[in-house]
Amino acid sequence: MTSSSSSTMILGLQLGNGYGAHGSAWRAAGVNPANYTDFDAQVRYAQAAERGKFAFLFLPDFLAYKADGVQEAPMLTLEPMLTLAAIARATERIGLVATGSTTFNEPYNLARQFKALDVMSHGRAGWNAVTTSDPGSAANFGQEIAPRPQRYQRAHETIQITQALWGSWQQDAWIRDTANARFVDPEKIEAINLQGRYVASRGPLPIPPSEQGQPVVFSAGGGANGLEIAGRYASAVIGAAFTIEDARAQREAVRDAACKAGRNPDEVKFIAGVMPAIAATKRAALDRRVTLGDQAAPALVPYLGSMLGLTLDASQIDEPLRPAQLAMARPSPFDPRSPKALEVAREGWTLRDILAHGVIDYHPTPVGPASVTADHMQEWFEAGACDGFWVSIDVYEDGIDTFVDDVVPLLQERGLFHDDYEGTTLRDHLGAPAQYGLDTRLANPAE
């Protein structure tokens, strides 16, 4: 059995729209429905995660308006870099990871923004480098989505040129010699003059190193192309898996990709997702989710039926599956969440409660007291399924504090999570090796 490369897990917190990971969090009791534009709320949630010694905040991004009808708020922050700039000034240790598209940004813009955030935060910035495949996003830039090979070639060029720009102001270039009126050593701030097929930059970037040198690269892409990006450049991979076996396979694939790129596989951490539903009892946790999903649940019943190979409609939502339906039910081979949905259905819950178990959520949903979430995380971590978790909290306003106050102490008591930060930078938190500029092990930059 493959064990994790560290004795303690890494925790990240998904941070989105100011409400929570659940689409109806904006309507939850105690939540200010105006939090969509309240950066003070984002700062407050970041501070709560830092109190829990989380390694990083993770801000997904999407370059087009996307919401489920009129009932749900957009799921993402107004703009990830500006959000993290506000958070950087009100936190001290927690890492700040933002998603930035390699498809609709130029390397110089990415290099400048992320390194400025890194300097501002004293070495806590990370870049989740992703391609963009959504036609609506492309339309916002007056473009169409390019074929996959072209998008990923551009991604390789963009990451390499960005890292070269980060290193173009050498680490000892900033002299600050007032007596001799020498601000910098000009020989140590050099143009990079890199020309790829899709992007290019002359440089240099006029930003000195941060306490960690330069930002840490994250990856969240899948498939062979995504694995190559992760294996060559990433220090952490944001994953999505619904079983230990699937997570372990994804983690091993990432580690194999790192080996093929000439890197130590321990340099790349695989971070699995979890969406906990926490309350004093399982019934109370389900009731919390039922209340959050009261508007959306009826419309999800047909999809639940497709997961189970059944024809279902909302008329049965407050009843369990009938014996004849259970006998016919089969997990869909097209949805990896289906076996869990069938397992929950066989326990006799109503369809509404089955949905409240999170069987259609994007990540596994442990339901019940804090110990249930801690048990889930311990089982996955000790099975070598991941190096840590990115935690998606249903409602930030009370949910982050609940996780920090109830789950984190259990993980600490079990020796699975650190009691305090061991370092000051994101690179420290991840155990990532030092890097400044391009990774010298990777040949042929921008090719």
Side-chain angles (χ1 to χ4, degrees), residues 10-15 21 54 56-60 218 220 237-241 270-276 362-364 377 386 388-393 403:
I10 296 163
L11 293 186
L13 178 74
Q14 179 267 0
L15 194 63
F54 276 67
F56 61 89
L57 304 169
F58 176 72
L59 276 63
F218 279 55
V237 172
I238 300 296
F270 181 76
I271 313 296
V274 64
M275 302 183 77
Y362 298 110
H363 302 288
M377 298 171 73
C386 60
F389 297 88
W390 65 294
V391 185
S392 293
I393 299 293
F403 188 95

PDB file of all heavy atoms in Angstrom, residues 10-15 21 54 56-60 218 220 237-241 270-276 362-364 377 386 388-393 403:
ATOM      1  N   ILE A  10      -1.904  18.030   4.332  1.00  0.00           N
ATOM      2  CA  ILE A  10      -1.972  19.429   3.920  1.00  0.00           C
ATOM      3  C   ILE A  10      -3.446  19.781   3.736  1.00  0.00           C
ATOM      4  O   ILE A  10      -4.195  19.016   3.136  1.00  0.00           O
ATOM      5  CB  ILE A  10      -1.213  19.635   2.597  1.00  0.00           C
ATOM      6  CG1 ILE A  10       0.283  19.343   2.790  1.00  0.00           C
ATOM      7  CG2 ILE A  10      -1.423  21.042   2.046  1.00  0.00           C
ATOM      8  CD1 ILE A  10       1.023  19.125   1.476  1.00  0.00           C
ATOM      9  N   LEU A  11      -3.867  20.927   4.255  1.00  0.00           N
ATOM     10  CA  LEU A  11      -5.243  21.358   4.083  1.00  0.00           C
ATOM     11  C   LEU A  11      -5.315  22.683   3.333  1.00  0.00           C
ATOM     12  O   LEU A  11      -4.572  23.619   3.640  1.00  0.00           O
ATOM     13  CB  LEU A  11      -5.949  21.529   5.440  1.00  0.00           C
ATOM     14  CG  LEU A  11      -6.205  20.272   6.265  1.00  0.00           C
ATOM     15  CD1 LEU A  11      -7.032  20.614   7.500  1.00  0.00           C
ATOM     16  CD2 LEU A  11      -6.891  19.195   5.443  1.00  0.00           C
ATOM     17  N   GLY A  12      -6.200  22.732   2.355  1.00  0.00           N
ATOM     18  CA  GLY A  12      -6.526  23.968   1.660  1.00  0.00           C
ATOM     19  C   GLY A  12      -8.019  24.224   1.786  1.00  0.00           C
ATOM     20  O   GLY A  12      -8.801  23.302   2.009  1.00  0.00           O
ATOM     21  N   LEU A  13      -8.413  25.467   1.652  1.00  0.00           N
ATOM     22  CA  LEU A  13      -9.821  25.844   1.739  1.00  0.00           C
ATOM     23  C   LEU A  13     -10.276  26.444   0.423  1.00  0.00           C
ATOM     24  O   LEU A  13      -9.684  27.416  -0.051  1.00  0.00           O
ATOM     25  CB  LEU A  13     -10.046  26.854   2.863  1.00  0.00           C
ATOM     26  CG  LEU A  13     -11.494  27.350   3.010  1.00  0.00           C
ATOM     27  CD1 LEU A  13     -12.372  26.264   3.627  1.00  0.00           C
ATOM     28  CD2 LEU A  13     -11.558  28.620   3.852  1.00  0.00           C
ATOM     29  N   GLN A  14     -11.321  25.877  -0.161  1.00  0.00           N
ATOM     30  CA  GLN A  14     -11.946  26.486  -1.332  1.00  0.00           C
ATOM     31  C   GLN A  14     -12.618  27.781  -0.905  1.00  0.00           C
ATOM     32  O   GLN A  14     -13.356  27.823   0.071  1.00  0.00           O
ATOM     33  CB  GLN A  14     -12.978  25.515  -1.935  1.00  0.00           C
ATOM     34  CG  GLN A  14     -13.700  26.053  -3.153  1.00  0.00           C
ATOM     35  CD  GLN A  14     -15.025  26.752  -2.832  1.00  0.00           C
ATOM     36  OE1 GLN A  14     -15.431  26.855  -1.678  1.00  0.00           O
ATOM     37  NE2 GLN A  14     -15.687  27.252  -3.852  1.00  0.00           N
ATOM     38  N   LEU A  15     -12.329  28.848  -1.632  1.00  0.00           N
ATOM     39  CA  LEU A  15     -12.942  30.142  -1.329  1.00  0.00           C
ATOM     40  C   LEU A  15     -13.544  30.687  -2.613  1.00  0.00           C
ATOM     41  O   LEU A  15     -12.839  30.850  -3.609  1.00  0.00           O
ATOM     42  CB  LEU A  15     -11.902  31.110  -0.765  1.00  0.00           C
ATOM     43  CG  LEU A  15     -12.457  32.373  -0.100  1.00  0.00           C
ATOM     44  CD1 LEU A  15     -13.294  32.026   1.121  1.00  0.00           C
ATOM     45  CD2 LEU A  15     -11.316  33.304   0.306  1.00  0.00           C
ATOM     46  N   ALA A  21     -19.800  26.891  -0.643  1.00  0.00           N
ATOM     47  CA  ALA A  21     -19.728  26.008  -1.799  1.00  0.00           C
ATOM     48  C   ALA A  21     -21.096  25.512  -2.235  1.00  0.00           C
ATOM     49  O   ALA A  21     -21.250  25.015  -3.352  1.00  0.00           O
ATOM     50  CB  ALA A  21     -18.820  24.809  -1.483  1.00  0.00           C
ATOM     51  N   PHE A  54      -4.626  26.189   8.075  1.00  0.00           N
ATOM     52  CA  PHE A  54      -4.698  25.722   6.689  1.00  0.00           C
ATOM     53  C   PHE A  54      -3.455  26.174   5.934  1.00  0.00           C
ATOM     54  O   PHE A  54      -2.958  27.284   6.135  1.00  0.00           O
ATOM     55  CB  PHE A  54      -5.942  26.292   6.002  1.00  0.00           C
ATOM     56  CG  PHE A  54      -7.199  25.512   6.234  1.00  0.00           C
ATOM     57  CD1 PHE A  54      -7.778  25.436   7.492  1.00  0.00           C
ATOM     58  CD2 PHE A  54      -7.822  24.853   5.183  1.00  0.00           C
ATOM     59  CE1 PHE A  54      -8.949  24.727   7.705  1.00  0.00           C
ATOM     60  CE2 PHE A  54      -8.991  24.145   5.378  1.00  0.00           C
ATOM     61  CZ  PHE A  54      -9.557  24.074   6.635  1.00  0.00           C
ATOM     62  N   PHE A  56      -3.342  26.703   2.602  1.00  0.00           N
ATOM     63  CA  PHE A  56      -3.630  27.658   1.536  1.00  0.00           C
ATOM     64  C   PHE A  56      -5.130  27.833   1.355  1.00  0.00           C
ATOM     65  O   PHE A  56      -5.944  26.987   1.736  1.00  0.00           O
ATOM     66  CB  PHE A  56      -3.001  27.212   0.208  1.00  0.00           C
ATOM     67  CG  PHE A  56      -3.486  25.880  -0.316  1.00  0.00           C
ATOM     68  CD1 PHE A  56      -4.592  25.790  -1.152  1.00  0.00           C
ATOM     69  CD2 PHE A  56      -2.823  24.711   0.017  1.00  0.00           C
ATOM     70  CE1 PHE A  56      -5.034  24.576  -1.639  1.00  0.00           C
ATOM     71  CE2 PHE A  56      -3.255  23.475  -0.468  1.00  0.00           C
ATOM     72  CZ  PHE A  56      -4.362  23.411  -1.298  1.00  0.00           C
ATOM     73  N   LEU A  57      -5.466  28.963   0.767  1.00  0.00           N
ATOM     74  CA  LEU A  57      -6.780  29.222   0.202  1.00  0.00           C
ATOM     75  C   LEU A  57      -6.709  28.921  -1.278  1.00  0.00           C
ATOM     76  O   LEU A  57      -5.711  29.241  -1.928  1.00  0.00           O
ATOM     77  CB  LEU A  57      -7.190  30.683   0.398  1.00  0.00           C
ATOM     78  CG  LEU A  57      -7.206  31.219   1.822  1.00  0.00           C
ATOM     79  CD1 LEU A  57      -7.369  32.728   1.800  1.00  0.00           C
ATOM     80  CD2 LEU A  57      -8.313  30.570   2.636  1.00  0.00           C
ATOM     81  N   PHE A  58      -7.758  28.323  -1.817  1.00  0.00           N
ATOM     82  CA  PHE A  58      -7.775  27.998  -3.242  1.00  0.00           C
ATOM     83  C   PHE A  58      -8.977  28.677  -3.880  1.00  0.00           C
ATOM     84  O   PHE A  58     -10.120  28.409  -3.511  1.00  0.00           O
ATOM     85  CB  PHE A  58      -7.843  26.483  -3.443  1.00  0.00           C
ATOM     86  CG  PHE A  58      -7.958  26.079  -4.886  1.00  0.00           C
ATOM     87  CD1 PHE A  58      -6.877  26.214  -5.743  1.00  0.00           C
ATOM     88  CD2 PHE A  58      -9.145  25.573  -5.392  1.00  0.00           C
ATOM     89  CE1 PHE A  58      -6.976  25.858  -7.072  1.00  0.00           C
ATOM     90  CE2 PHE A  58      -9.261  25.213  -6.728  1.00  0.00           C
ATOM     91  CZ  PHE A  58      -8.170  25.345  -7.574  1.00  0.00           C
ATOM     92  N   LEU A  59      -8.711  29.572  -4.830  1.00  0.00           N
ATOM     93  CA  LEU A  59      -9.761  30.314  -5.511  1.00  0.00           C
ATOM     94  C   LEU A  59      -9.896  29.817  -6.941  1.00  0.00           C
ATOM     95  O   LEU A  59      -9.063  30.134  -7.796  1.00  0.00           O
ATOM     96  CB  LEU A  59      -9.471  31.816  -5.509  1.00  0.00           C
ATOM     97  CG  LEU A  59      -9.908  32.600  -4.250  1.00  0.00           C
ATOM     98  CD1 LEU A  59      -9.172  32.118  -3.013  1.00  0.00           C
ATOM     99  CD2 LEU A  59      -9.722  34.081  -4.459  1.00  0.00           C
ATOM    100  N   PRO A  60     -10.932  29.009  -7.228  1.00  0.00           N
ATOM    101  CA  PRO A  60     -11.204  28.657  -8.618  1.00  0.00           C
ATOM    102  C   PRO A  60     -11.609  29.918  -9.387  1.00  0.00           C
ATOM    103  O   PRO A  60     -11.894  30.950  -8.798  1.00  0.00           O
ATOM    104  CB  PRO A  60     -12.374  27.666  -8.525  1.00  0.00           C
ATOM    105  CG  PRO A  60     -12.473  27.297  -7.071  1.00  0.00           C
ATOM    106  CD  PRO A  60     -11.926  28.453  -6.305  1.00  0.00           C
ATOM    107  N   PHE A 218       0.395  25.437  -9.188  1.00  0.00           N
ATOM    108  CA  PHE A 218      -0.588  24.383  -8.946  1.00  0.00           C
ATOM    109  C   PHE A 218      -1.158  23.943 -10.287  1.00  0.00           C
ATOM    110  O   PHE A 218      -1.033  24.643 -11.294  1.00  0.00           O
ATOM    111  CB  PHE A 218      -1.740  24.901  -8.089  1.00  0.00           C
ATOM    112  CG  PHE A 218      -1.482  24.941  -6.605  1.00  0.00           C
ATOM    113  CD1 PHE A 218      -0.390  25.626  -6.091  1.00  0.00           C
ATOM    114  CD2 PHE A 218      -2.340  24.306  -5.726  1.00  0.00           C
ATOM    115  CE1 PHE A 218      -0.165  25.682  -4.727  1.00  0.00           C
ATOM    116  CE2 PHE A 218      -2.129  24.349  -4.359  1.00  0.00           C
ATOM    117  CZ  PHE A 218      -1.034  25.037  -3.854  1.00  0.00           C
ATOM    118  N   ALA A 220      -4.805  21.768 -11.942  1.00  0.00           N
ATOM    119  CA  ALA A 220      -6.088  21.121 -11.674  1.00  0.00           C
ATOM    120  C   ALA A 220      -6.632  20.430 -12.916  1.00  0.00           C
ATOM    121  O   ALA A 220      -7.795  20.041 -12.949  1.00  0.00           O
ATOM    122  CB  ALA A 220      -7.104  22.149 -11.167  1.00  0.00           C
ATOM    123  N   VAL A 237      -1.429  19.369  -6.925  1.00  0.00           N
ATOM    124  CA  VAL A 237      -2.487  19.103  -7.895  1.00  0.00           C
ATOM    125  C   VAL A 237      -3.812  19.056  -7.150  1.00  0.00           C
ATOM    126  O   VAL A 237      -3.971  18.315  -6.177  1.00  0.00           O
ATOM    127  CB  VAL A 237      -2.239  17.773  -8.627  1.00  0.00           C
ATOM    128  CG1 VAL A 237      -3.433  17.406  -9.501  1.00  0.00           C
ATOM    129  CG2 VAL A 237      -0.980  17.862  -9.470  1.00  0.00           C
ATOM    130  N   ILE A 238      -4.757  19.869  -7.597  1.00  0.00           N
ATOM    131  CA  ILE A 238      -6.100  19.900  -7.024  1.00  0.00           C
ATOM    132  C   ILE A 238      -6.926  18.833  -7.723  1.00  0.00           C
ATOM    133  O   ILE A 238      -7.182  18.917  -8.927  1.00  0.00           O
ATOM    134  CB  ILE A 238      -6.745  21.284  -7.206  1.00  0.00           C
ATOM    135  CG1 ILE A 238      -5.898  22.358  -6.507  1.00  0.00           C
ATOM    136  CG2 ILE A 238      -8.168  21.293  -6.685  1.00  0.00           C
ATOM    137  CD1 ILE A 238      -5.802  22.207  -5.020  1.00  0.00           C
ATOM    138  N   GLY A 239      -7.325  17.799  -6.966  1.00  0.00           N
ATOM    139  CA  GLY A 239      -7.975  16.651  -7.565  1.00  0.00           C
ATOM    140  C   GLY A 239      -9.454  16.555  -7.256  1.00  0.00           C
ATOM    141  O   GLY A 239      -9.989  17.270  -6.404  1.00  0.00           O
ATOM    142  N   ALA A 240     -10.114  15.646  -7.971  1.00  0.00           N
ATOM    143  CA  ALA A 240     -11.521  15.330  -7.734  1.00  0.00           C
ATOM    144  C   ALA A 240     -11.673  13.821  -7.865  1.00  0.00           C
ATOM    145  O   ALA A 240     -11.505  13.271  -8.963  1.00  0.00           O
ATOM    146  CB  ALA A 240     -12.424  16.052  -8.728  1.00  0.00           C
ATOM    147  N   ALA A 241     -11.945  13.153  -6.761  1.00  0.00           N
ATOM    148  CA  ALA A 241     -12.087  11.699  -6.757  1.00  0.00           C
ATOM    149  C   ALA A 241     -13.162  11.316  -5.756  1.00  0.00           C
ATOM    150  O   ALA A 241     -13.349  11.995  -4.740  1.00  0.00           O
ATOM    151  CB  ALA A 241     -10.763  11.029  -6.396  1.00  0.00           C
ATOM    152  N   PHE A 270      -0.746  15.613  -4.075  1.00  0.00           N
ATOM    153  CA  PHE A 270      -2.088  15.420  -4.616  1.00  0.00           C
ATOM    154  C   PHE A 270      -3.099  15.769  -3.529  1.00  0.00           C
ATOM    155  O   PHE A 270      -3.120  15.157  -2.462  1.00  0.00           O
ATOM    156  CB  PHE A 270      -2.287  13.980  -5.093  1.00  0.00           C
ATOM    157  CG  PHE A 270      -3.651  13.737  -5.682  1.00  0.00           C
ATOM    158  CD1 PHE A 270      -3.961  14.188  -6.955  1.00  0.00           C
ATOM    159  CD2 PHE A 270      -4.628  13.075  -4.959  1.00  0.00           C
ATOM    160  CE1 PHE A 270      -5.221  13.986  -7.498  1.00  0.00           C
ATOM    161  CE2 PHE A 270      -5.889  12.850  -5.487  1.00  0.00           C
ATOM    162  CZ  PHE A 270      -6.186  13.312  -6.763  1.00  0.00           C
ATOM    163  N   ILE A 271      -3.935  16.756  -3.816  1.00  0.00           N
ATOM    164  CA  ILE A 271      -4.882  17.287  -2.832  1.00  0.00           C
ATOM    165  C   ILE A 271      -6.296  16.899  -3.264  1.00  0.00           C
ATOM    166  O   ILE A 271      -6.811  17.411  -4.251  1.00  0.00           O
ATOM    167  CB  ILE A 271      -4.761  18.818  -2.715  1.00  0.00           C
ATOM    168  CG1 ILE A 271      -3.277  19.253  -2.581  1.00  0.00           C
ATOM    169  CG2 ILE A 271      -5.588  19.327  -1.552  1.00  0.00           C
ATOM    170  CD1 ILE A 271      -2.586  18.762  -1.338  1.00  0.00           C
ATOM    171  N   ALA A 272      -6.917  15.993  -2.526  1.00  0.00           N
ATOM    172  CA  ALA A 272      -8.272  15.526  -2.849  1.00  0.00           C
ATOM    173  C   ALA A 272      -9.315  16.467  -2.272  1.00  0.00           C
ATOM    174  O   ALA A 272      -9.066  17.175  -1.291  1.00  0.00           O
ATOM    175  CB  ALA A 272      -8.476  14.107  -2.301  1.00  0.00           C
ATOM    176  N   GLY A 273     -10.504  16.445  -2.848  1.00  0.00           N
ATOM    177  CA  GLY A 273     -11.578  17.307  -2.368  1.00  0.00           C
ATOM    178  C   GLY A 273     -12.457  16.612  -1.343  1.00  0.00           C
ATOM    179  O   GLY A 273     -12.614  15.390  -1.354  1.00  0.00           O
ATOM    180  N   VAL A 274     -13.035  17.407  -0.453  1.00  0.00           N
ATOM    181  CA  VAL A 274     -14.020  16.906   0.498  1.00  0.00           C
ATOM    182  C   VAL A 274     -15.005  18.035   0.790  1.00  0.00           C
ATOM    183  O   VAL A 274     -14.627  19.198   0.867  1.00  0.00           O
ATOM    184  CB  VAL A 274     -13.354  16.393   1.799  1.00  0.00           C
ATOM    185  CG1 VAL A 274     -12.643  17.518   2.554  1.00  0.00           C
ATOM    186  CG2 VAL A 274     -14.351  15.691   2.704  1.00  0.00           C
ATOM    187  N   MET A 275     -16.298  17.674   0.892  1.00  0.00           N
ATOM    188  CA  MET A 275     -17.359  18.662   1.139  1.00  0.00           C
ATOM    189  C   MET A 275     -18.139  18.222   2.376  1.00  0.00           C
ATOM    190  O   MET A 275     -19.195  17.581   2.263  1.00  0.00           O
ATOM    191  CB  MET A 275     -18.285  18.769  -0.072  1.00  0.00           C
ATOM    192  CG  MET A 275     -17.582  19.148  -1.355  1.00  0.00           C
ATOM    193  SD  MET A 275     -18.722  19.366  -2.770  1.00  0.00           S
ATOM    194  CE  MET A 275     -19.397  20.977  -2.396  1.00  0.00           C
ATOM    195  N   PRO A 276     -17.645  18.521   3.565  1.00  0.00           N
ATOM    196  CA  PRO A 276     -18.255  17.975   4.780  1.00  0.00           C
ATOM    197  C   PRO A 276     -19.616  18.580   5.104  1.00  0.00           C
ATOM    198  O   PRO A 276     -19.871  19.756   4.850  1.00  0.00           O
ATOM    199  CB  PRO A 276     -17.234  18.326   5.864  1.00  0.00           C
ATOM    200  CG  PRO A 276     -16.524  19.531   5.339  1.00  0.00           C
ATOM    201  CD  PRO A 276     -16.470  19.355   3.856  1.00  0.00           C
ATOM    202  N   TYR A 362     -19.647  17.637  -5.895  1.00  0.00           N
ATOM    203  CA  TYR A 362     -18.427  17.478  -6.689  1.00  0.00           C
ATOM    204  C   TYR A 362     -17.355  16.659  -5.980  1.00  0.00           C
ATOM    205  O   TYR A 362     -16.370  16.261  -6.607  1.00  0.00           O
ATOM    206  CB  TYR A 362     -17.868  18.855  -7.057  1.00  0.00           C
ATOM    207  CG  TYR A 362     -18.803  19.683  -7.897  1.00  0.00           C
ATOM    208  CD1 TYR A 362     -19.439  20.804  -7.393  1.00  0.00           C
ATOM    209  CD2 TYR A 362     -19.063  19.333  -9.217  1.00  0.00           C
ATOM    210  CE1 TYR A 362     -20.303  21.566  -8.171  1.00  0.00           C
ATOM    211  CE2 TYR A 362     -19.929  20.081 -10.011  1.00  0.00           C
ATOM    212  CZ  TYR A 362     -20.541  21.195  -9.472  1.00  0.00           C
ATOM    213  OH  TYR A 362     -21.396  21.938 -10.252  1.00  0.00           O
ATOM    214  N   HIS A 363     -17.542  16.439  -4.688  1.00  0.00           N
ATOM    215  CA  HIS A 363     -16.567  15.685  -3.904  1.00  0.00           C
ATOM    216  C   HIS A 363     -17.315  14.848  -2.867  1.00  0.00           C
ATOM    217  O   HIS A 363     -18.497  15.085  -2.602  1.00  0.00           O
ATOM    218  CB  HIS A 363     -15.593  16.630  -3.188  1.00  0.00           C
ATOM    219  CG  HIS A 363     -14.852  17.539  -4.111  1.00  0.00           C
ATOM    220  ND1 HIS A 363     -13.851  17.102  -4.939  1.00  0.00           N
ATOM    221  CD2 HIS A 363     -14.991  18.870  -4.357  1.00  0.00           C
ATOM    222  CE1 HIS A 363     -13.394  18.125  -5.652  1.00  0.00           C
ATOM    223  NE2 HIS A 363     -14.067  19.200  -5.324  1.00  0.00           N
ATOM    224  N   PRO A 364     -16.639  13.882  -2.250  1.00  0.00           N
ATOM    225  CA  PRO A 364     -17.282  13.104  -1.197  1.00  0.00           C
ATOM    226  C   PRO A 364     -17.793  14.000  -0.067  1.00  0.00           C
ATOM    227  O   PRO A 364     -17.159  15.000   0.280  1.00  0.00           O
ATOM    228  CB  PRO A 364     -16.165  12.180  -0.705  1.00  0.00           C
ATOM    229  CG  PRO A 364     -15.230  12.066  -1.857  1.00  0.00           C
ATOM    230  CD  PRO A 364     -15.276  13.398  -2.540  1.00  0.00           C
ATOM    231  N   MET A 377     -11.230  11.610   6.324  1.00  0.00           N
ATOM    232  CA  MET A 377      -9.933  12.164   5.934  1.00  0.00           C
ATOM    233  C   MET A 377      -8.800  11.253   6.377  1.00  0.00           C
ATOM    234  O   MET A 377      -7.830  11.038   5.634  1.00  0.00           O
ATOM    235  CB  MET A 377      -9.790  13.570   6.519  1.00  0.00           C
ATOM    236  CG  MET A 377     -10.846  14.538   5.982  1.00  0.00           C
ATOM    237  SD  MET A 377     -10.880  16.136   6.837  1.00  0.00           S
ATOM    238  CE  MET A 377      -9.380  16.890   6.204  1.00  0.00           C
ATOM    239  N   CYS A 386      -4.118  10.412  -0.967  1.00  0.00           N
ATOM    240  CA  CYS A 386      -3.868  11.840  -1.145  1.00  0.00           C
ATOM    241  C   CYS A 386      -2.813  12.294  -0.146  1.00  0.00           C
ATOM    242  O   CYS A 386      -2.493  11.595   0.810  1.00  0.00           O
ATOM    243  CB  CYS A 386      -5.153  12.653  -0.958  1.00  0.00           C
ATOM    244  SG  CYS A 386      -5.898  12.475   0.683  1.00  0.00           S
ATOM    245  N   GLY A 388      -3.355  15.366   1.143  1.00  0.00           N
ATOM    246  CA  GLY A 388      -4.133  16.325   1.903  1.00  0.00           C
ATOM    247  C   GLY A 388      -5.455  16.558   1.208  1.00  0.00           C
ATOM    248  O   GLY A 388      -5.823  15.834   0.272  1.00  0.00           O
ATOM    249  N   PHE A 389      -6.158  17.591   1.650  1.00  0.00           N
ATOM    250  CA  PHE A 389      -7.519  17.850   1.152  1.00  0.00           C
ATOM    251  C   PHE A 389      -7.714  19.336   0.917  1.00  0.00           C
ATOM    252  O   PHE A 389      -7.216  20.176   1.673  1.00  0.00           O
ATOM    253  CB  PHE A 389      -8.559  17.382   2.180  1.00  0.00           C
ATOM    254  CG  PHE A 389      -8.528  15.907   2.450  1.00  0.00           C
ATOM    255  CD1 PHE A 389      -7.686  15.386   3.423  1.00  0.00           C
ATOM    256  CD2 PHE A 389      -9.328  15.034   1.719  1.00  0.00           C
ATOM    257  CE1 PHE A 389      -7.645  14.019   3.664  1.00  0.00           C
ATOM    258  CE2 PHE A 389      -9.297  13.671   1.963  1.00  0.00           C
ATOM    259  CZ  PHE A 389      -8.454  13.156   2.935  1.00  0.00           C
ATOM    260  N   TRP A 390      -8.496  19.641  -0.121  1.00  0.00           N
ATOM    261  CA  TRP A 390      -9.051  20.990  -0.220  1.00  0.00           C
ATOM    262  C   TRP A 390     -10.505  20.870   0.177  1.00  0.00           C
ATOM    263  O   TRP A 390     -11.262  20.057  -0.331  1.00  0.00           O
ATOM    264  CB  TRP A 390      -8.805  21.621  -1.573  1.00  0.00           C
ATOM    265  CG  TRP A 390      -9.434  21.027  -2.782  1.00  0.00           C
ATOM    266  CD1 TRP A 390      -9.188  19.810  -3.339  1.00  0.00           C
ATOM    267  CD2 TRP A 390     -10.393  21.663  -3.636  1.00  0.00           C
ATOM    268  NE1 TRP A 390      -9.929  19.634  -4.476  1.00  0.00           N
ATOM    269  CE2 TRP A 390     -10.677  20.761  -4.691  1.00  0.00           C
ATOM    270  CE3 TRP A 390     -11.014  22.901  -3.635  1.00  0.00           C
ATOM    271  CZ2 TRP A 390     -11.576  21.058  -5.715  1.00  0.00           C
ATOM    272  CZ3 TRP A 390     -11.913  23.198  -4.654  1.00  0.00           C
ATOM    273  CH2 TRP A 390     -12.183  22.287  -5.662  1.00  0.00           C
ATOM    274  N   VAL A 391     -10.868  21.662   1.169  1.00  0.00           N
ATOM    275  CA  VAL A 391     -12.133  21.537   1.865  1.00  0.00           C
ATOM    276  C   VAL A 391     -13.112  22.569   1.310  1.00  0.00           C
ATOM    277  O   VAL A 391     -12.829  23.771   1.316  1.00  0.00           O
ATOM    278  CB  VAL A 391     -11.937  21.747   3.378  1.00  0.00           C
ATOM    279  CG1 VAL A 391     -13.251  21.500   4.120  1.00  0.00           C
ATOM    280  CG2 VAL A 391     -10.841  20.818   3.907  1.00  0.00           C
ATOM    281  N   SER A 392     -14.243  22.083   0.830  1.00  0.00           N
ATOM    282  CA  SER A 392     -15.297  22.966   0.333  1.00  0.00           C
ATOM    283  C   SER A 392     -16.405  23.020   1.378  1.00  0.00           C
ATOM    284  O   SER A 392     -17.095  22.018   1.606  1.00  0.00           O
ATOM    285  CB  SER A 392     -15.852  22.453  -1.001  1.00  0.00           C
ATOM    286  OG  SER A 392     -14.871  22.535  -2.014  1.00  0.00           O
ATOM    287  N   ILE A 393     -16.551  24.158   2.020  1.00  0.00           N
ATOM    288  CA  ILE A 393     -17.513  24.339   3.105  1.00  0.00           C
ATOM    289  C   ILE A 393     -18.846  24.807   2.527  1.00  0.00           C
ATOM    290  O   ILE A 393     -18.886  25.750   1.731  1.00  0.00           O
ATOM    291  CB  ILE A 393     -16.987  25.372   4.120  1.00  0.00           C
ATOM    292  CG1 ILE A 393     -15.659  24.883   4.731  1.00  0.00           C
ATOM    293  CG2 ILE A 393     -18.013  25.638   5.201  1.00  0.00           C
ATOM    294  CD1 ILE A 393     -15.763  23.664   5.606  1.00  0.00           C
ATOM    295  N   PHE A 403     -15.530  23.673  11.154  1.00  0.00           N
ATOM    296  CA  PHE A 403     -14.444  22.773  10.750  1.00  0.00           C
ATOM    297  C   PHE A 403     -13.192  23.025  11.579  1.00  0.00           C
ATOM    298  O   PHE A 403     -12.550  22.093  12.076  1.00  0.00           O
ATOM    299  CB  PHE A 403     -14.143  22.950   9.259  1.00  0.00           C
ATOM    300  CG  PHE A 403     -13.186  21.930   8.714  1.00  0.00           C
ATOM    301  CD1 PHE A 403     -13.654  20.783   8.104  1.00  0.00           C
ATOM    302  CD2 PHE A 403     -11.811  22.102   8.812  1.00  0.00           C
ATOM    303  CE1 PHE A 403     -12.777  19.825   7.605  1.00  0.00           C
ATOM    304  CE2 PHE A 403     -10.924  21.169   8.328  1.00  0.00           C
ATOM    305  CZ  PHE A 403     -11.411  20.010   7.719  1.00  0.00           C
TER     306      PHE A 403
END
